[in-house]
Amino acid sequence: MSPPARLDDHTPVVLLIAGPALIGLLVFVLVPFLFALLTAFTNLRLGSPLPLEFVGLKQFTRILSDPTFVRAMGNNFLFALIIVPLQTALALGLALLLNQGLRGTVIYRTLFFMPVVFPMSLVAVVWILIYAPGPNGMMNSLLDLLSFGQWQPRDFLRDPALALPAIMLLSIWQGTGFQMVILLAGLQAIPQELHEAAALDGAGHWQRFLHVTLPQLRNPLTFVMLITTILAFRLFDQVQIMTRGGPDNATTTVMYEMVETVFTRQQVARASAMTVIFFLLVLGVTWLQRHLVRETREVE
Amino acid sequence: MRLQRSRVGIILSYALLTTLALLFFIPVMMMLAGSLKPDERVLMEAGSLAGFIPGEVSLQNYTDVFNRTEFLGFLFNSLFITGTIVIFGLLVNALAAYAFARLRWRGRDLFFNLVLAVMILPLEAIAVPLFYGVSLLGLRDTYLAQILPFIANAFSIYLFYAFFIGLPRELEEAARLDGASTLRTFFSIIVPNSKPVFASVAILNFLMWWGAYLWPLMVTIGPEVRPLPVAIAAFYTLPPLQWGDILAFSVMMVAPVLLLFILFQRWFVRGVAATGIKG
């Protein structure tokens, strides 16, 4: 932070102008989070006759030995593992295609970005129709067409092997435009001279992509992968609406289990411990990204 | 000098872009066409080309939505909740960012670190304790519970701060010498020179809260203060399942935002691109 221009003390006026936001962050973000952090180590449960006790890591060991929760975490990781490379690659591909200065670029950009303004719950409901079972379902007919009639109609959302991939697909549809726009801005920030210099040195398209574009795009790419990973850990809306975590826990997630714990079991401490686990996952991903970005800055 | 591009490359690019654009557009076309069809044909024709052509146009599904749900009430709830969060959020977070970027006060660095720390906490990490707090205070099923906790926003403060710190100091010096107060300087000098960041923050927060599902699902009980994202999921589970009605609901739900998006596309794109500076 740069030093202020004047030496006079603005503390009284700051109470007025920064006060509301800072009080808001303290009361509605920091305090609740600290509350979750504390209760995660207790046995707090609404309506429970047992006295409130400090139970150490018991909630955590219990959760982490619950096969459903382990499955939920596994699903989040699987979701991230598949969606992050796939969605980033697609967003990068679209951004590269749109960055060539072709006529009509704005129209294409509009189309690819449009799903971003669709609320996820709406997307989830509409895609239930797309995944309708039977030969008349849209996805079934599309796959039938693409496989020249080899495809046997499936009930995507009730099929343990297909439910999570089905949710991945619509998540990619809704989210790619967001990443594309960030990467497009990154591409436009690369000085044209770098490409020209490389071309003069005899570098072809592919070599310029590898040695100019990718290194220059490293920070926006890491950022895009970070937000996609965090999005994967936040996965909830689609699951709650389309599958309720099923079939056989094939699509349950950390967030879904957390909300279930709040509403069906009233177990405050258990839900708080899940919150803490979720937070640690997000913190880990963020730390990894900051680490990667800092490294490039040192190299530059 | 512009780099040479081969004709084949250009044709290939267009072919790829067009194919992908069609794939991206399929769900939207289906929504629109299906909303105009008699209900029984929606599911039957979803798998054929007829799925994208309404055929005989009928507005029956739209009238059904108004008869079967409180659509206008949900629309009002969404507009009111999102609008209030965005407008108060702009004011409160921009002022705080100004205090961090330009004013000298005790505890500034400490609070700035607090803002940075809180920025990595998504709503999901506080939903549980916030929910119990709201329940304890008897504030479930209110507008207040859906608005007040989300006005102060660390990421908004950060975006404003990053913009204000880059403004030339000379802008304010003249006003200061004329004896203008801090607040007056902010409103008459800073705000008019910061339109892009106000637009970015407004659009990002609008997209986030217009589509929010988890929190309103947790705190609302009845339909009175229910916003659209929860309402459409509830409508899907309301028997009898009529896809035509659901698609009509979807079209009406997304139309106003789509219109805003098409009118202010440049700002939407800039707003989203602005999040990238965080990296």
Side-chain angles (χ1 to χ4, degrees), chain A residues 1 5 10 14 17 21 32 100 103 108-110 113 121 129 136 138 141 173 196 223 234 240 275 283 297, chain B residues 1 13-14 18 24 30 43 47 95 104-106 120 124-125 129 152 161 169 213 229 261 265 269 275 279:
Chain A
M1 204 181 300
H10 294 105
V14 163
I17 72 171
Q100 301 176 91
R103 216 172 293 168
Y108 287 111
R109 194 189 64 188
T110 308
F113 188 78
S121 73
L129 176 60
N136 284 332
M138 178 184 284
S141 332
W173 179 76
E196 285 163 6
F223 175 72
R234 291 167 55 193
Q240 200 272 340
T275 296
L283 191 70
R297 281 183 188 149
Chain B
M1 177 187 106
S13 295
Y14 274 119
T18 309
F24 263 73
M30 186 205 70
L43 203 57
L95 278 170
R104 186 184 182 83
W105 43 288
R106 263 168 269 149
I120 61 165
E124 284 84 351
Y161 172 83
R169 273 172 193 282
Y213 183 68
F261 164 60
Q265 206 201 131
V269 169
T275 59

Side-chain angles (χ1 to χ4, degrees), chain B residues 246-262:
Chain B
I246 292 171
L247 294 179
F249 193 115
S250 309
V251 171
M252 287 195 283
M253 176 172 166
V254 86
V257 188
L258 217 51
L259 191 73
L260 276 180
F261 164 60
I262 288 166

Side-chain angles (χ1 to χ4, degrees), chain A residues 79 82-83 86-87 90 112-132 138-139 156-157 162-179 228 231 235-243 251, chain B residues 23-24 27-28 30 243:
Chain A
F79 195 86
I82 294 183
I83 214 170
L86 221 61
Q87 197 172 328
L90 181 59
F112 296 131
F113 188 78
M114 193 169 57
V116 175
V117 306
F118 285 48
M120 190 49 99
S121 73
L122 179 153
V123 174
V125 170
V126 170
W127 280 66
I128 293 175
L129 176 60
I130 293 180
Y131 288 132
M138 178 184 284
M139 189 56 74
F156 296 91
L157 298 173
L162 292 177
L164 195 61
I167 291 177
M168 287 174 186
L169 186 65
L170 70 100
S171 310
I172 290 175
W173 179 76
Q174 200 265 352
T176 301
F178 197 93
Q179 272 91 327
T228 319
L231 220 61
L235 183 59
F236 175 79
D237 304 4
Q238 302 94 306
V239 168
Q240 200 272 340
I241 293 170
M242 302 176 86
T243 61
T251 58
Chain B
L23 283 175
F24 263 73
V28 185
M30 186 205 70
W243 277 109

Side-chain angles (χ1 to χ4, degrees), chain B residues 4 29 40 50 63 84 96 128 155 164 176 182 220 245 268:
Chain B
Q4 287 293 314
M29 275 303 290
E40 61 280 3
T63 41
T84 317
V128 169
F155 187 49
F164 293 158
R176 279 299 176 88
T182 309
T220 59
D245 296 359
F268 273 76

Side-chain angles (χ1 to χ4, degrees), chain A residues 13-24:
Chain A
V13 72
V14 163
L15 284 178
L16 176 72
I17 72 171
L22 296 180
I23 291 169

